[in-house]
Amino acid sequence: MTITPPEFTFQVLLVDDNEDDVFLTTEAFQEANVNAEIIVHRDGVDALAFLHDKTQKKPHLILLDLNMPRKDGRETLAELKSDPDLKNIPVVILTTSDSESDIEQAYNLHANSFITKPINFDEFVISVKNLKAFWFKTVKLPPVK
């Protein structure tokens, strides 16, 4: 007899101020059959407040846009990676930028990967499938606290 455990749900924090990009990202996750709860915050200030809230469970993965109001992705990433309680959460930069300087700066700030958002929805779904295969199937993520 085989007992199949219930499928595990990943928690993903999506930090993006663009309503259309949030919609496309959540739709791509559904289309790619990613079993994830997506928590959305519109800027780094709100995302960091959420992450510092001891009553909230930490996400397994953070998808972070670079260009946002109040606290942009670079500032948010720097703060995340300098915080002993948050630095182990993998951060994937998910942005429209493909600038070499943005890519270099993101990795210098210890981003775990950098994805330029595809313009075409089908390509976006492929990117999310690749993200799923790598982050949710291949690698071992740190425990969520």
mmCIF file with all atom_site columns, all heavy atoms in Angstrom, residues 34-50:
data_model
loop_
_atom_site.group_PDB
_atom_site.id
_atom_site.type_symbol
_atom_site.label_atom_id
_atom_site.label_alt_id
_atom_site.label_comp_id
_atom_site.label_asym_id
_atom_site.label_entity_id
_atom_site.label_seq_id
_atom_site.pdbx_PDB_ins_code
_atom_site.Cartn_x
_atom_site.Cartn_y
_atom_site.Cartn_z
_atom_site.occupancy
_atom_site.B_iso_or_equiv
_atom_site.pdbx_formal_charge
_atom_site.auth_seq_id
_atom_site.auth_comp_id
_atom_site.auth_asym_id
_atom_site.auth_atom_id
_atom_site.pdbx_PDB_model_num
ATOM 1   N N   . VAL A 1 34 ? 2.432  25.535 -9.889  1.00 0.00 ? 34 VAL A N   1
ATOM 2   C CA  . VAL A 1 34 ? 3.278  25.659 -8.711  1.00 0.00 ? 34 VAL A CA  1
ATOM 3   C C   . VAL A 1 34 ? 2.368  25.707 -7.495  1.00 0.00 ? 34 VAL A C   1
ATOM 4   O O   . VAL A 1 34 ? 1.483  26.555 -7.401  1.00 0.00 ? 34 VAL A O   1
ATOM 5   C CB  . VAL A 1 34 ? 4.147  26.941 -8.766  1.00 0.00 ? 34 VAL A CB  1
ATOM 6   C CG1 . VAL A 1 34 ? 5.010  27.044 -7.522  1.00 0.00 ? 34 VAL A CG1 1
ATOM 7   C CG2 . VAL A 1 34 ? 4.996  26.954 -10.025 1.00 0.00 ? 34 VAL A CG2 1
ATOM 8   N N   . ASN A 1 35 ? 2.577  24.781 -6.589  1.00 0.00 ? 35 ASN A N   1
ATOM 9   C CA  . ASN A 1 35 ? 1.775  24.733 -5.369  1.00 0.00 ? 35 ASN A CA  1
ATOM 10  C C   . ASN A 1 35 ? 2.372  25.726 -4.372  1.00 0.00 ? 35 ASN A C   1
ATOM 11  O O   . ASN A 1 35 ? 3.196  25.364 -3.543  1.00 0.00 ? 35 ASN A O   1
ATOM 12  C CB  . ASN A 1 35 ? 1.765  23.316 -4.799  1.00 0.00 ? 35 ASN A CB  1
ATOM 13  C CG  . ASN A 1 35 ? 0.755  23.175 -3.684  1.00 0.00 ? 35 ASN A CG  1
ATOM 14  O OD1 . ASN A 1 35 ? -0.160 23.970 -3.559  1.00 0.00 ? 35 ASN A OD1 1
ATOM 15  N ND2 . ASN A 1 35 ? 0.936  22.158 -2.863  1.00 0.00 ? 35 ASN A ND2 1
ATOM 16  N N   . ALA A 1 36 ? 1.967  26.992 -4.514  1.00 0.00 ? 36 ALA A N   1
ATOM 17  C CA  . ALA A 1 36 ? 2.548  28.035 -3.682  1.00 0.00 ? 36 ALA A CA  1
ATOM 18  C C   . ALA A 1 36 ? 1.488  29.017 -3.222  1.00 0.00 ? 36 ALA A C   1
ATOM 19  O O   . ALA A 1 36 ? 0.562  29.350 -3.966  1.00 0.00 ? 36 ALA A O   1
ATOM 20  C CB  . ALA A 1 36 ? 3.626  28.788 -4.454  1.00 0.00 ? 36 ALA A CB  1
ATOM 21  N N   . GLU A 1 37 ? 1.664  29.452 -1.995  1.00 0.00 ? 37 GLU A N   1
ATOM 22  C CA  . GLU A 1 37 ? 0.879  30.567 -1.479  1.00 0.00 ? 37 GLU A CA  1
ATOM 23  C C   . GLU A 1 37 ? 1.723  31.807 -1.749  1.00 0.00 ? 37 GLU A C   1
ATOM 24  O O   . GLU A 1 37 ? 2.861  31.898 -1.290  1.00 0.00 ? 37 GLU A O   1
ATOM 25  C CB  . GLU A 1 37 ? 0.643  30.406 0.019   1.00 0.00 ? 37 GLU A CB  1
ATOM 26  C CG  . GLU A 1 37 ? -0.017 31.601 0.657   1.00 0.00 ? 37 GLU A CG  1
ATOM 27  C CD  . GLU A 1 37 ? -0.043 31.531 2.171   1.00 0.00 ? 37 GLU A CD  1
ATOM 28  O OE1 . GLU A 1 37 ? 0.470  30.552 2.750   1.00 0.00 ? 37 GLU A OE1 1
ATOM 29  O OE2 . GLU A 1 37 ? -0.565 32.482 2.774   1.00 0.00 ? 37 GLU A OE2 1
ATOM 30  N N   . ILE A 1 38 ? 1.175  32.737 -2.504  1.00 0.00 ? 38 ILE A N   1
ATOM 31  C CA  . ILE A 1 38 ? 1.913  33.950 -2.848  1.00 0.00 ? 38 ILE A CA  1
ATOM 32  C C   . ILE A 1 38 ? 1.406  35.099 -1.990  1.00 0.00 ? 38 ILE A C   1
ATOM 33  O O   . ILE A 1 38 ? 0.224  35.436 -2.017  1.00 0.00 ? 38 ILE A O   1
ATOM 34  C CB  . ILE A 1 38 ? 1.788  34.277 -4.345  1.00 0.00 ? 38 ILE A CB  1
ATOM 35  C CG1 . ILE A 1 38 ? 2.341  33.117 -5.178  1.00 0.00 ? 38 ILE A CG1 1
ATOM 36  C CG2 . ILE A 1 38 ? 2.515  35.586 -4.663  1.00 0.00 ? 38 ILE A CG2 1
ATOM 37  C CD1 . ILE A 1 38 ? 2.193  33.294 -6.666  1.00 0.00 ? 38 ILE A CD1 1
ATOM 38  N N   . ILE A 1 39 ? 2.314  35.657 -1.230  1.00 0.00 ? 39 ILE A N   1
ATOM 39  C CA  . ILE A 1 39 ? 2.022  36.805 -0.378  1.00 0.00 ? 39 ILE A CA  1
ATOM 40  C C   . ILE A 1 39 ? 2.604  38.018 -1.091  1.00 0.00 ? 39 ILE A C   1
ATOM 41  O O   . ILE A 1 39 ? 3.786  38.020 -1.449  1.00 0.00 ? 39 ILE A O   1
ATOM 42  C CB  . ILE A 1 39 ? 2.674  36.631 1.006   1.00 0.00 ? 39 ILE A CB  1
ATOM 43  C CG1 . ILE A 1 39 ? 2.181  35.341 1.655   1.00 0.00 ? 39 ILE A CG1 1
ATOM 44  C CG2 . ILE A 1 39 ? 2.430  37.841 1.894   1.00 0.00 ? 39 ILE A CG2 1
ATOM 45  C CD1 . ILE A 1 39 ? 3.144  34.735 2.633   1.00 0.00 ? 39 ILE A CD1 1
ATOM 46  N N   . VAL A 1 40 ? 1.792  39.043 -1.306  1.00 0.00 ? 40 VAL A N   1
ATOM 47  C CA  . VAL A 1 40 ? 2.225  40.197 -2.094  1.00 0.00 ? 40 VAL A CA  1
ATOM 48  C C   . VAL A 1 40 ? 2.386  41.423 -1.201  1.00 0.00 ? 40 VAL A C   1
ATOM 49  O O   . VAL A 1 40 ? 1.504  41.736 -0.403  1.00 0.00 ? 40 VAL A O   1
ATOM 50  C CB  . VAL A 1 40 ? 1.213  40.504 -3.219  1.00 0.00 ? 40 VAL A CB  1
ATOM 51  C CG1 . VAL A 1 40 ? 1.646  41.731 -4.015  1.00 0.00 ? 40 VAL A CG1 1
ATOM 52  C CG2 . VAL A 1 40 ? 1.036  39.299 -4.134  1.00 0.00 ? 40 VAL A CG2 1
ATOM 53  N N   . HIS A 1 41 ? 3.516  42.082 -1.372  1.00 0.00 ? 41 HIS A N   1
ATOM 54  C CA  . HIS A 1 41 ? 3.741  43.399 -0.775  1.00 0.00 ? 41 HIS A CA  1
ATOM 55  C C   . HIS A 1 41 ? 4.251  44.302 -1.878  1.00 0.00 ? 41 HIS A C   1
ATOM 56  O O   . HIS A 1 41 ? 4.983  43.865 -2.767  1.00 0.00 ? 41 HIS A O   1
ATOM 57  C CB  . HIS A 1 41 ? 4.707  43.332 0.407   1.00 0.00 ? 41 HIS A CB  1
ATOM 58  C CG  . HIS A 1 41 ? 4.050  42.765 1.622   1.00 0.00 ? 41 HIS A CG  1
ATOM 59  N ND1 . HIS A 1 41 ? 3.223  43.495 2.430   1.00 0.00 ? 41 HIS A ND1 1
ATOM 60  C CD2 . HIS A 1 41 ? 4.058  41.512 2.125   1.00 0.00 ? 41 HIS A CD2 1
ATOM 61  C CE1 . HIS A 1 41 ? 2.766  42.730 3.406   1.00 0.00 ? 41 HIS A CE1 1
ATOM 62  N NE2 . HIS A 1 41 ? 3.243  41.510 3.235   1.00 0.00 ? 41 HIS A NE2 1
ATOM 63  N N   . ARG A 1 42 ? 3.869  45.588 -1.825  1.00 0.00 ? 42 ARG A N   1
ATOM 64  C CA  . ARG A 1 42 ? 4.086  46.516 -2.938  1.00 0.00 ? 42 ARG A CA  1
ATOM 65  C C   . ARG A 1 42 ? 5.397  47.287 -2.870  1.00 0.00 ? 42 ARG A C   1
ATOM 66  O O   . ARG A 1 42 ? 5.740  47.979 -3.817  1.00 0.00 ? 42 ARG A O   1
ATOM 67  C CB  . ARG A 1 42 ? 2.921  47.499 -3.034  1.00 0.00 ? 42 ARG A CB  1
ATOM 68  C CG  . ARG A 1 42 ? 1.579  46.836 -3.235  1.00 0.00 ? 42 ARG A CG  1
ATOM 69  C CD  . ARG A 1 42 ? 1.517  46.108 -4.540  1.00 0.00 ? 42 ARG A CD  1
ATOM 70  N NE  . ARG A 1 42 ? 0.203  45.487 -4.706  1.00 0.00 ? 42 ARG A NE  1
ATOM 71  C CZ  . ARG A 1 42 ? -0.250 45.042 -5.834  1.00 0.00 ? 42 ARG A CZ  1
ATOM 72  N NH1 . ARG A 1 42 ? 0.491  45.111 -6.913  1.00 0.00 ? 42 ARG A NH1 1
ATOM 73  N NH2 . ARG A 1 42 ? -1.424 44.487 -5.912  1.00 0.00 ? 42 ARG A NH2 1
ATOM 74  N N   . ASP A 1 43 ? 6.122  47.191 -1.761  1.00 0.00 ? 43 ASP A N   1
ATOM 75  C CA  . ASP A 1 43 ? 7.421  47.867 -1.674  1.00 0.00 ? 43 ASP A CA  1
ATOM 76  C C   . ASP A 1 43 ? 8.234  47.238 -0.556  1.00 0.00 ? 43 ASP A C   1
ATOM 77  O O   . ASP A 1 43 ? 7.737  46.422 0.214   1.00 0.00 ? 43 ASP A O   1
ATOM 78  C CB  . ASP A 1 43 ? 7.268  49.384 -1.470  1.00 0.00 ? 43 ASP A CB  1
ATOM 79  C CG  . ASP A 1 43 ? 6.530  49.749 -0.199  1.00 0.00 ? 43 ASP A CG  1
ATOM 80  O OD1 . ASP A 1 43 ? 6.851  49.194 0.878   1.00 0.00 ? 43 ASP A OD1 1
ATOM 81  O OD2 . ASP A 1 43 ? 5.632  50.601 -0.261  1.00 0.00 ? 43 ASP A OD2 1
ATOM 82  N N   . GLY A 1 44 ? 9.502  47.649 -0.487  1.00 0.00 ? 44 GLY A N   1
ATOM 83  C CA  . GLY A 1 44 ? 10.407 47.077 0.496   1.00 0.00 ? 44 GLY A CA  1
ATOM 84  C C   . GLY A 1 44 ? 10.036 47.396 1.931   1.00 0.00 ? 44 GLY A C   1
ATOM 85  O O   . GLY A 1 44 ? 10.261 46.576 2.826   1.00 0.00 ? 44 GLY A O   1
ATOM 86  N N   . VAL A 1 45 ? 9.456  48.561 2.170   1.00 0.00 ? 45 VAL A N   1
ATOM 87  C CA  . VAL A 1 45 ? 9.060  48.934 3.532   1.00 0.00 ? 45 VAL A CA  1
ATOM 88  C C   . VAL A 1 45 ? 8.028  47.946 4.072   1.00 0.00 ? 45 VAL A C   1
ATOM 89  O O   . VAL A 1 45 ? 8.183  47.395 5.172   1.00 0.00 ? 45 VAL A O   1
ATOM 90  C CB  . VAL A 1 45 ? 8.515  50.387 3.577   1.00 0.00 ? 45 VAL A CB  1
ATOM 91  C CG1 . VAL A 1 45 ? 7.931  50.707 4.949   1.00 0.00 ? 45 VAL A CG1 1
ATOM 92  C CG2 . VAL A 1 45 ? 9.604  51.384 3.208   1.00 0.00 ? 45 VAL A CG2 1
ATOM 93  N N   . ASP A 1 46 ? 6.976  47.708 3.276   1.00 0.00 ? 46 ASP A N   1
ATOM 94  C CA  . ASP A 1 46 ? 5.930  46.774 3.713   1.00 0.00 ? 46 ASP A CA  1
ATOM 95  C C   . ASP A 1 46 ? 6.445  45.337 3.791   1.00 0.00 ? 46 ASP A C   1
ATOM 96  O O   . ASP A 1 46 ? 6.102  44.586 4.703   1.00 0.00 ? 46 ASP A O   1
ATOM 97  C CB  . ASP A 1 46 ? 4.722  46.843 2.779   1.00 0.00 ? 46 ASP A CB  1
ATOM 98  C CG  . ASP A 1 46 ? 3.950  48.151 2.921   1.00 0.00 ? 46 ASP A CG  1
ATOM 99  O OD1 . ASP A 1 46 ? 4.125  48.856 3.937   1.00 0.00 ? 46 ASP A OD1 1
ATOM 100 O OD2 . ASP A 1 46 ? 3.171  48.464 1.994   1.00 0.00 ? 46 ASP A OD2 1
ATOM 101 N N   . ALA A 1 47 ? 7.282  44.946 2.830   1.00 0.00 ? 47 ALA A N   1
ATOM 102 C CA  . ALA A 1 47 ? 7.822  43.581 2.828   1.00 0.00 ? 47 ALA A CA  1
ATOM 103 C C   . ALA A 1 47 ? 8.679  43.332 4.062   1.00 0.00 ? 47 ALA A C   1
ATOM 104 O O   . ALA A 1 47 ? 8.553  42.294 4.719   1.00 0.00 ? 47 ALA A O   1
ATOM 105 C CB  . ALA A 1 47 ? 8.631  43.335 1.564   1.00 0.00 ? 47 ALA A CB  1
ATOM 106 N N   . LEU A 1 48 ? 9.531  44.285 4.403   1.00 0.00 ? 48 LEU A N   1
ATOM 107 C CA  . LEU A 1 48 ? 10.394 44.119 5.582   1.00 0.00 ? 48 LEU A CA  1
ATOM 108 C C   . LEU A 1 48 ? 9.586  44.137 6.870   1.00 0.00 ? 48 LEU A C   1
ATOM 109 O O   . LEU A 1 48 ? 9.888  43.381 7.803   1.00 0.00 ? 48 LEU A O   1
ATOM 110 C CB  . LEU A 1 48 ? 11.491 45.175 5.591   1.00 0.00 ? 48 LEU A CB  1
ATOM 111 C CG  . LEU A 1 48 ? 12.563 44.953 4.522   1.00 0.00 ? 48 LEU A CG  1
ATOM 112 C CD1 . LEU A 1 48 ? 13.402 46.208 4.322   1.00 0.00 ? 48 LEU A CD1 1
ATOM 113 C CD2 . LEU A 1 48 ? 13.449 43.761 4.882   1.00 0.00 ? 48 LEU A CD2 1
ATOM 114 N N   . ALA A 1 49 ? 8.544  44.955 6.924   1.00 0.00 ? 49 ALA A N   1
ATOM 115 C CA  . ALA A 1 49 ? 7.668  44.958 8.103   1.00 0.00 ? 49 ALA A CA  1
ATOM 116 C C   . ALA A 1 49 ? 7.028  43.578 8.263   1.00 0.00 ? 49 ALA A C   1
ATOM 117 O O   . ALA A 1 49 ? 6.961  43.037 9.379   1.00 0.00 ? 49 ALA A O   1
ATOM 118 C CB  . ALA A 1 49 ? 6.604  46.046 7.984   1.00 0.00 ? 49 ALA A CB  1
ATOM 119 N N   . PHE A 1 50 ? 6.569  42.998 7.156   1.00 0.00 ? 50 PHE A N   1
ATOM 120 C CA  . PHE A 1 50 ? 5.999  41.651 7.182   1.00 0.00 ? 50 PHE A CA  1
ATOM 121 C C   . PHE A 1 50 ? 7.034  40.632 7.665   1.00 0.00 ? 50 PHE A C   1
ATOM 122 O O   . PHE A 1 50 ? 6.749  39.794 8.525   1.00 0.00 ? 50 PHE A O   1
ATOM 123 C CB  . PHE A 1 50 ? 5.489  41.279 5.781   1.00 0.00 ? 50 PHE A CB  1
ATOM 124 C CG  . PHE A 1 50 ? 5.137  39.834 5.625   1.00 0.00 ? 50 PHE A CG  1
ATOM 125 C CD1 . PHE A 1 50 ? 3.937  39.336 6.096   1.00 0.00 ? 50 PHE A CD1 1
ATOM 126 C CD2 . PHE A 1 50 ? 6.017  38.955 5.005   1.00 0.00 ? 50 PHE A CD2 1
ATOM 127 C CE1 . PHE A 1 50 ? 3.611  37.991 5.965   1.00 0.00 ? 50 PHE A CE1 1
ATOM 128 C CE2 . PHE A 1 50 ? 5.707  37.611 4.849   1.00 0.00 ? 50 PHE A CE2 1
ATOM 129 C CZ  . PHE A 1 50 ? 4.501  37.131 5.338   1.00 0.00 ? 50 PHE A CZ  1
#
